[in-house]
Amino acid sequence: MRAVGAILRDPAKPFTIEEFELADPGPGEVLVRVVGVGLCHTDLLLRDRPALPLPMVFGHEGSGVVEAVGPGVRRIAPGDHVVLSYDSCGWCGQCQAGSSAYCDEFTARNLTGTRPDGTTGARDLAGGPLAARWFGQSSFATHALATERNVVPVDPALPLALLGPLACGIQTGVGSVLNSLRVPPGAGIAVFGVGTVGLAAVMAARIAGADEIVAVDLHPRRLALALELGATRAVDGAEPELAAAVGQVDHTLDTTGVPEVMHTAIAVLRPRGSCGLVGGGSGQLTVRPQLLAGRMLRYLIEGEAVPHQFIPRLIGLWKQGRLPFDRLVRSYPLTAVNEAERDAADGTAIKPVLLPGSP
Ligand SMILES: [Zn+2]
Ligand SMILES: [Zn+2]
């Protein structure tokens, strides 16, 4: 079939909107008509690390309606409303233990742009190869091929176009606090960087009953929103004595990936505290071992969440008004993908959501 997608051909150039050929769903696959897709930092990885096969269709926070299913698909049917999350194999030891974020095939299934066997199911109109399996979906497009395993059915009564960000950014922030750091009632937490993941972490810390929730960022508008969403204190990230300004806390989450900030996130921990890192930066973190005395440090993938279990929970929290993630969303037509990227970079938009179905 013909689909239309935002294609990246050169890491130094804007996305181009192009038609491309998408194969019928193969064994275990589903074809989804995408109605909304969030723009996440990881979609822009290539801007600094041009190591992946181009051209590629990015997009890994999709939501849409199933149009067709391939051989062997039993649990998903045409017409189902679904959220498209990260893919995993379901068979390795990590998947069997409920830790699919650490699946042995995580990289092969999510970060290469191809199926595990190296094919993609897509070609550009000149017949050239097109990587279109980013996070098992490549949803910056009108249609995406996903797998039965990485689509999560949702209630058709919900506003489907809004739900994509639950698949990565919101899941990562909330999961890091509730599943990984397991912040208990009464605890103190500092969140470094309050974009989508950090703001989701702030909302989760309030859900967890944390007494002190410190938000750290360089953008005053993001800090103001963090205070509205549950932060008890906001700290300017440019503060020269940042550790002193934050004070001691039990838990920290770094979403910036900046080595100095990650170091501060460890330095402010009380003994027996824990620090989670989710920032995808390429810098090196150097820590004097004694700084970690009695403290835990862990790099966290996807909030260590199992999408089929966690996304329904996130929807439940949103319906109760405890996770108003829709306040972070700003919508754009798919054709405005470059404007959405600019707005995300300069802080105008916290979570752009592209709407491939609207003109
Ligand atoms: Zn696995
Ligand atoms: Zn993401």
Side-chain angles (χ1 to χ4, degrees):
M1 69 163 299
R2 282 279 165 92
V4 176
I7 295 180
L8 192 70
R9 291 188 172 274
D10 180 331
K13 293 199 174 140
F15 293 92
T16 53
I17 302 297
E18 298 180 32
E19 282 193 307
F20 63 97
E21 277 298 330
L22 198 57
D24 291 336
E29 290 184 341
V30 302
L31 175 69
V32 178
R33 175 172 59 82
V34 179
V35 303
V37 51
L39 182 106
C40 172
H41 226 74
T42 311
D43 292 313
L44 308 172
L45 202 71
L46 276 245
R47 297 294 194 208
D48 330 304
R49 261 190 283 172
L52 289 167
L54 292 180
M56 169 122 60
V57 180
F58 287 90
H60 66 283
E61 289 186 344
S63 59
V65 181
V66 174
E67 286 206 333
V69 303
V73 171
R74 291 183 299 120
R75 294 181 181 84
I76 301 291
D80 283 355
H81 287 206
V82 291
V83 170
L84 288 68
S85 193
Y86 72 87
D87 196 18
S88 58
C89 78
W91 286 100
C92 72
Q94 294 295 339
C95 282
Q96 297 281 358
S99 298
S100 49
Y102 301 114
C103 172
D104 289 352
E105 297 184 7
F106 188 91
T107 299
R109 287 174 178 269
N110 295 293
L111 297 169
T112 60
T114 70
R115 295 177 176 123
D117 69 3
T119 62
T120 74
R123 303 216 140 253
D124 70 12
L125 287 196
L130 178 63
R133 294 290 288 199
W134 181 244
F135 280 79
Q137 53 186 286
S138 287
S139 43
F140 284 173
T142 55
H143 295 79
L145 277 181
T147 68
E148 182 179 32
R149 187 171 160 83
N150 76 319
V151 301
V152 178
V154 296
D155 181 351
L158 294 168
L160 187 59
L162 186 66
L163 302 183
L166 297 177
C168 182
I170 303 295
Q171 171 167 271
T172 298
V174 177
S176 295
V177 168
L178 298 185
N179 299 335
S180 311
L181 299 174
R182 294 178 178 273
V183 172
I189 179 172
V191 179
F192 293 80
V194 284
T196 300
V197 173
L199 288 170
V202 164
M203 290 186 271
R206 180 156 78 170
I207 290 165
D211 272 357
E212 192 181 21
I213 305 170
V214 186
V216 184
D217 204 290
L218 296 169
H219 289 269
R221 286 198 11 228
R222 289 188 194 165
L223 289 175
L225 187 54
L227 288 169
E228 287 177 38
L229 294 174
T232 57
R233 198 149 56 82
V235 173
D236 179 356
E239 191 74 50
E241 298 294 330
L242 185 57
V246 171
Q248 283 212 306
V249 289
D250 307 295
H251 300 280
T252 53
L253 183 70
D254 175 76
T255 72
T256 71
V258 176
E260 300 76 44
V261 180
M262 292 191 279
H263 196 275
T264 303
I266 298 165
V268 298
L269 285 177
R270 295 192 177 103
R272 301 170 56 75
S274 54
C275 171
L277 307 176
V278 302
S282 50
Q284 298 283 319
L285 173 62
T286 306
V287 182
R288 193 167 47 85
Q290 292 84 343
L291 191 64
L292 282 166
R295 297 154 174 96
M296 300 262 279
L297 174 64
R298 191 147 109 230
Y299 192 88
L300 307 170
I301 306 279
E302 295 285 350
E304 303 188 325
V306 175
H308 280 266
Q309 182 255 341
F310 206 61
I311 288 173
R313 187 172 168 202
L314 295 174
I315 290 170
L317 289 166
W318 175 69
K319 283 163 77 176
Q320 292 167 19
R322 299 163 79 194
L323 185 68
F325 71 92
D326 49 306
R327 293 193 55 193
L328 318 187
V329 168
R330 187 172 173 141
S331 302
Y332 301 77
L334 179 67
T335 47
V337 58
N338 294 303
E339 186 188 334
E341 181 182 354
R342 267 198 311 277
D343 287 356
D346 71 15
T348 306
I350 291 174
K351 171 56 73 179
V353 168
L354 306 173
L355 306 173
S358 58

